[in-house]
């Protein structure tokens, strides 16, 4: 079997073969070109603190110690800003030897500043699942800027499967960029493909958005239903810089238009911690075909840490780690499936009216 990220048809094969299990049948819409959407189950547990199960322990064991109360999500329930919840997912795994998995928040989840990570029995890392794992999956959810309404079946996370070594080396990335550009400009290649922030003023001087501190609830089940002005302040600038406020959450955009070729997938990773008092946020998977033939920039979910920080136009803030696909997917992002963010520029999550 070829090493690499498993494409859609191999994910479907894992479902058919019982290596991906589910309490409700997996729907075709969940299967993406290089990932699978994970659905919330019917209950949530408010817990005192975030946790990992750790060696020899199950998540259910840890819930008995840390749970505060149990919530029924049927019909919809609000997860409050600043609280931590654990939700059993409908999907579980029975991974074969040699196949590992990584999870991440979906783009729309990250863009509303909802920290969402997958945890497993015996797990020692968030969002990383070793080969051979057999057991349930849980979502840890901590809304940071907004309270959110969720219900069973809603997908906040996605999972990607890989066999063997998949990451492209810097030399391989440089060769690919020389053959078919991966970004529309100079490629900064160092442990992945670097990307920088665009602070060029748009209409009315707009360079980004900052989450308002006191808002209503975002209904995560509704698309295009919310007024951006009720949840976001516009960030404007005309001198190529902004000052990030400690604890504030921003939506910005990359200067570079990014391409993910059909035979690759990518994951967004933070840049070196030493470059500033901020980090690029949670949503990290880029599927094959993103930006392919349709210029698309990366939306940056940025949180400032302890001290105000000057962010300048063109500053490198993150990197894309490219991985080879084990095989070409049957469908590509944007071209063959409905994709909310193909061809995007500076854009809020799909929950907000344009």
């Amino acid at each position: 079997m070829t090493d690499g990220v498993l494409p859609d048809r191999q994910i479907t094969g894992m479902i058919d073969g019982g290596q991906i299990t589910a309490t409700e049948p997996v729907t075709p819409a969940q299967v993406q070109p290089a990932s699978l959407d994970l659905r919330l189950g019917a209950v949530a547990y408010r817990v005192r603190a975030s946790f990992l199960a750790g060696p020899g322990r199950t998540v259910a064991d840890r819930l008995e110690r840390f749970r505060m109360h149990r919530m029924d999500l049927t019909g919809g329930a609000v997860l409050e800003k600043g609280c931590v919840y654990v939700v059993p997912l409908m999907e579980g795994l029975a991974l074969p030897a040699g196949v590992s998995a990584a999870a991440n928040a979906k783009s729309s989840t990250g863009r509303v500043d909802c920290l969402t990570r997958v945890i497993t029995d015996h797990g020692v890392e968030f969002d990383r699942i070793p080969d051979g794992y057999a057991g349930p999956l849980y979502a840890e959810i901590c809304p940071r800027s907004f309270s959110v309404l969720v219900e069973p079946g809603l997908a906040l996370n996605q999972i990607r499967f890989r066999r063997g070594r998949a990451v492209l080396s810097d030399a391989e990335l440089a060769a690919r960029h020389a053959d078919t550009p991966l970004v529309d400009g100079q490629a900064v290649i160092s442990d992945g493909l670097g990307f920088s922030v665009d602070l060029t003023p748009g209409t009315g001087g707009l360079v980004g958005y900052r989450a308002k501190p006191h808002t209503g609830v975002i209904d995560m089940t509704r698309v295009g239903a919310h007024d951006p002005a009720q949840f976001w302040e516009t960030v404007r600038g005309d001198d190529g810089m902004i000052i990030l406020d400690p604890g504030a959450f921003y939506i910005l955009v990359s200067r570079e238009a990014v391409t993910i070729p059909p035979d690759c997938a990518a994951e967004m990773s933070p840049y070196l911690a030493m470059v500033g008092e901020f980090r690029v946020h949670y949503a990290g998977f880029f599927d094959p075909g993103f930006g392919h033939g349709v210029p698309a920039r990366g939306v940056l979910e940025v949180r400032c840490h302890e001290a105000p920080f000057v962010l300048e136009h063109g500053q490198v803030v993150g990197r894309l780690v490219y991985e080879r696909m084990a095989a070409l997917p049957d469908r590509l992002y944007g071209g063959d499936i409905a994709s909310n963010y193909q061809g995007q520029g500076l854009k809020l999550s799909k929950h907000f009216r344009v």
Side-chain angles (χ1 to χ4, degrees), residues 2-293:
T2 304
D3 285 355
V5 173
L6 304 191
D8 43 15
R9 65 178 176 277
Q10 292 186 24
I11 294 172
T12 300
M14 293 177 68
I15 297 166
D16 295 340
Q19 295 164 338
I20 297 171
T21 62
T23 57
E24 297 287 341
V26 177
T27 68
Q30 288 178 248
V31 181
Q32 304 300 319
S35 61
L36 176 73
D37 290 349
L38 300 173
R39 299 166 296 175
L40 301 181
V43 299
Y45 298 93
R46 169 80 189 278
V47 294
R48 287 186 285 152
S50 172
F51 64 82
L52 290 164
R57 296 183 299 204
T58 67
V59 175
D61 292 338
R62 305 302 277 167
L63 279 173
E64 285 301 312
R65 179 171 183 181
F66 297 119
R67 62 184 280 185
M68 298 172 67
H69 62 263
R70 180 183 186 274
M71 301 168 54
D72 185 358
L73 301 185
T74 304
V78 173
L79 307 184
E80 296 185 22
K81 179 175 74 170
C83 300
V84 183
Y85 302 85
V86 172
V87 180
L89 296 171
M90 292 185 180
E91 288 72 31
L93 297 177
L95 293 178
V99 175
S100 60
N104 221 312
K106 290 175 63 66
S107 293
S108 297
T109 310
R111 292 189 200 194
V112 296
D113 197 19
C114 188
L115 174 61
T116 309
R117 305 183 286 194
V118 167
I119 56 176
T120 64
D121 291 346
H122 322 298
V124 295
E125 292 182 276
F126 293 108
D127 285 336
R128 295 296 183 263
I129 302 154
D131 65 304
Y133 174 77
L137 300 174
Y138 300 81
E140 178 199 273
I141 305 170
C142 180
R144 302 289 302 278
S145 291
F146 313 109
S147 296
V148 297
L149 186 145
V150 301
E151 64 181 23
L154 180 69
L156 299 182
N157 307 72
Q158 55 194 338
I159 192 167
R160 181 173 281 178
F161 303 93
R162 59 175 60 84
R163 183 186 301 109
R165 182 187 177 278
V167 175
L168 270 65
S169 68
D170 285 353
E172 291 171 316
L173 272 181
R176 277 184 170 268
H177 180 70
D179 180 59
T180 304
L182 301 176
V183 292
D184 63 340
Q186 181 181 359
V188 178
I189 297 176
S190 178
D191 292 327
L193 181 67
F195 58 87
S196 60
V197 64
D198 186 358
L199 296 179
T200 303
T203 304
L206 181 69
V207 298
Y209 299 92
R210 179 173 52 225
K212 288 186 173 182
H214 307 292
T215 71
V217 174
I218 294 177
D219 185 342
M220 299 290 281
T221 70
R222 301 177 65 199
V223 175
H226 301 79
D227 179 3
Q230 299 299 313
F231 296 87
W232 301 95
E233 301 169 349
T234 55
V235 178
R236 303 182 185 277
D238 57 8
D239 56 359
M241 58 168 258
I242 60 173
I243 297 178
L244 302 177
D245 294 324
F249 176 76
Y250 297 82
I251 296 291
L252 304 173
V253 70
S254 72
R255 183 174 62 167
E256 299 82 8
V258 178
T259 296
I260 311 299
D263 64 340
C264 288
E267 182 173 2
M268 184 187 293
S269 296
Y271 205 56
L272 297 175
M274 292 81 77
V275 302
E277 282 290 320
F278 67 93
R279 68 153 288 164
V280 175
H281 202 48
Y282 325 109
F285 287 162
F286 287 68
D287 272 341
F290 178 87
H292 187 63

